[in-house]
Amino acid sequence: MKLFIKNNILNMVTIFIVTMFFSCESDIKKVQQLSETSFIPTGEADTINLKYTDSGQIKSILKSPKMLDYSNITNPFTEFPKGIHVTLIDNKGNATTVVSNYAISYKKTSIIDLQGNVTISSQNGKKLETSQLYFDQKNEWFFTEKHFKYTDEAGGYLEGPGVDFSKDFKVFNMQQSSGEVNTTDK
């Protein structure tokens, strides 16, 4: 009888351990799946003020309340979830500002996606406003399919869906637009 009870207890303990092992294995697989589908930034910064210089000259100043760096994933990017304020300075010292509520910069494609109340203002009074704007860093080219409004220094304006233009506003291509152009005689 003692041997029977001892064998039953041993069998029950074995069944319990095997059950626990398979239960834990299932939980481990769930945890592995969660870690594969979610990602965590490799870097995080609050209240950044980054200055880019070339040959001792400041070329741009980037300010943002928050920056998240995801450089450890297959398609790395840097995210600015609370917006950006960028000042671009040309060789003559003229400044252009770019402001948006949100921005994301993709490292492999060198494309920056600006979203939410995007405004570009030049020192000479030119201004472009839209809800989303892309910037191709390699070609120094802006583009959007969203509605835009462009105002020049003379008070004229153009607006419509879709536009692409050079970073200095010298080349400007519109899909469909309407507006008012003011000319001044010199």
Side-chain angles (χ1 to χ4, degrees), residues 97-180:
T97 60
V98 180
V99 179
S100 71
N101 293 346
Y102 174 86
I104 187 166
S105 176
Y106 298 98
K107 295 191 190 308
K108 284 187 177 179
T109 61
S110 296
I111 299 289
I112 299 173
D113 180 1
L114 304 162
Q115 299 176 25
N117 297 318
V118 181
T119 304
I120 299 177
S121 305
S122 69
Q123 185 170 322
N124 61 3
K126 296 176 183 176
K127 184 176 181 179
L128 183 120
E129 300 168 281
T130 186
S131 62
Q132 183 174 26
L133 188 66
Y134 297 97
F135 180 60
D136 178 346
Q137 296 178 82
K138 288 179 186 171
N139 297 310
E140 298 184 332
W141 200 261
F142 288 95
F143 58 96
T144 186
E145 295 295 319
K146 303 289 185 183
H147 186 272
F148 74 95
K149 182 173 183 181
Y150 169 77
T151 310
D152 65 20
E153 62 275 18
Y157 72 94
L158 295 169
E159 62 183 331
V163 66
D164 63 286
F165 56 96
S166 60
K167 76 173 189 174
D168 58 6
F169 288 108
K170 288 183 179 175
V171 179
F172 209 81
N173 302 313
M174 295 156 285
Q175 294 174 10
Q176 299 174 2
S177 65
S178 63
E180 179 179 308

